[in-house]
Amino acid sequence: MKCLVFSALFLFYLLISAEATIPCNTVNAKAAPCVTFAIGKAPTVPPACCSGLLQLARSVRSVNDKKDICRCMKAGTKSIRGLQDKFLKQIPTACHLNVGFPVSASVNCEK
């Protein structure tokens, strides 16, 4: 469940590059530490969240990679109860990540 919330966080990393090679289980594992913050259970973004998202960002090699990560995160967020966009939106800034688009569980991954 936590992995799904982190998937939404990986949407941030989608700004980086275009070939799909990053499996959802990897995306979910990297984003999992972000779930407690994204549901409002942690007062700050955990360092492991930022570390995982940075690793994902560095793994992007293409636009398709970005879209795949986005799709994985979006699918993952659907099963996380209590996920709040107001917390998701804070993660890129807290992790010093420039995603270039609004972070949301309802983001359009095809753009």
Side-chain angles (χ1 to χ4, degrees), residues 78-96:
K78 291 180 181 180
S79 67
I80 298 171
R81 254 188 274 176
L83 182 69
Q84 299 178 48
D85 273 349
K86 70 179 182 179
F87 295 125
L88 285 176
K89 292 176 183 182
Q90 295 176 36
I91 294 171
T93 301
C95 294
H96 306 288

Side-chain angles (χ1 to χ4, degrees), residues 4-66:
L4 298 177
V5 171
F6 293 111
S7 293
L9 302 175
F10 293 109
L11 297 177
F12 308 43
Y13 300 106
L14 301 178
L15 302 173
I16 304 173
S17 288
E19 259 168 38
T21 60
I22 304 166
C24 284
N25 62 349
T26 298
V27 171
N28 292 340
K30 299 291 183 189
C34 305
V35 173
T36 57
F37 181 78
I39 62 173
K41 298 275 183 178
T44 60
V45 176
C49 169
C50 294
S51 175
L53 295 180
L54 181 58
Q55 289 173 20
L56 279 179
R58 289 179 177 162
S59 69
V60 173
R61 299 289 178 252
S62 68
V63 171
N64 286 338
D65 284 350
K66 290 179 192 180

